[in-house]
Amino acid sequence: MKRRNFCKNAVLGTAGFTTVASTQSTPQPEASTPTQPAIQWRMATSWLKSDITFNAVEELCQRVKVATNGRFVIIPYPAGEIVPPLQVFDAVKAGTVECGHTTVLYYLEKNPTLIFSISVPFGLTTYQQNAWLHYGGGLEIMHQIYADFGIIAFPAGAVGIQMGGWFNKEMNRSTDFKGLKIRIPGWGARVSSSNLV
């Protein structure tokens, strides 16, 4: 088995997916032996080192190391150390890094259906999303979509849906949002901006 080909492209994602591995080859399981070479990957992330999400990524990488008796080590890098935070997907696709941890909210222009690998505004809760992915065929569907990019994605954390907000006045209609500066990514931003005409 060619381990280097196994993960020419990989992306891990929070709020949804951890993408790992190129679809160019399908690895076959092998018995782990002390003679196998150790594997070390670099993981680009979209998170600052001070971000709690980066802490979760470090924990994920530590668990992989422990589970493989140190034979598979993933080193996570904060946003900007390898590539800018919004270029993790492309870095994995291009093979610049072996894997990444990001959210597809930043990449919906590539294919809007990627949103279903995480959450849509007013959509499923985290429990419902995980049930759909793992028991409702969602993961298989998402693998087909990611395959178009030569990437395999796996769920690797969830921050839940982002909707609503905190305002110093009551919001009753879309026109109440005019003139406000709101930080909201992905579909939520598209839905909000399309209603603010």
Side-chain angles (χ1 to χ4, degrees):
M1 173 173 120
K2 305 256 188 213
R3 286 178 187 82
R4 291 176 196 241
N5 290 337
F6 169 69
C7 212
K8 187 175 176 210
N9 300 329
V11 171
L12 300 168
T14 188
F17 268 66
T18 180
T19 42
V20 168
S22 168
T23 56
Q24 296 170 358
S25 66
T26 304
Q28 299 300 315
E30 257 180 42
S32 178
T33 67
T35 60
Q36 289 179 324
I39 300 169
Q40 183 172 301
W41 286 356
R42 294 174 308 138
M43 176 193 287
T45 75
S46 295
W47 325 118
L48 298 175
K49 191 159 182 68
S50 59
D51 190 323
I52 192 169
T53 306
F54 189 79
N55 295 339
V57 171
E58 289 178 311
E59 176 68 22
L60 170 69
C61 294
Q62 181 61 28
R63 288 181 181 210
V64 169
K65 182 178 179 180
V66 169
T68 62
N69 294 319
R71 305 301 295 167
F72 183 18
V73 176
I74 303 173
I75 302 170
Y77 291 86
E81 283 198 16
I82 297 178
V83 295
L86 303 184
Q87 293 180 16
V88 172
F89 189 100
D90 292 324
V92 171
K93 182 176 183 244
T96 304
V97 291
E98 293 80 15
C99 62
H101 196 281
T102 188
T103 175
V104 297
L105 286 176
Y106 302 143
Y107 311 107
L108 295 182
E109 75 283 350
K110 297 179 183 303
N111 184 333
T113 58
L114 289 172
I115 190 67
F116 294 105
S117 64
I118 52 171
S119 61
V120 299
F122 309 103
L124 303 176
T125 66
T126 302
Y127 292 118
Q128 293 167 332
Q129 184 73 22
N130 282 329
W132 176 71
L133 287 169
H134 296 289
Y135 305 105
L139 196 54
E140 290 79 10
I141 293 169
M142 297 318 301
H143 281 312
Q144 292 173 22
I145 295 167
Y146 280 96
D148 291 342
F149 302 99
I151 290 175
I152 296 175
F154 298 99
V159 296
I161 53 177
Q162 292 183 1
M163 62 184 197
W166 295 270
F167 305 98
N168 59 11
K169 65 176 186 176
E170 192 171 324
M171 311 303 278
N172 295 308
R173 56 189 63 82
S174 61
T175 54
D176 292 340
F177 290 89
K178 281 194 176 182
L180 293 179
K181 292 182 180 178
I182 303 171
R183 187 242 178 239
I184 182 170
W187 255 15
R190 292 184 186 188
V191 169
S192 298
S193 62
S194 66
N195 286 322
L196 300 179
V197 283

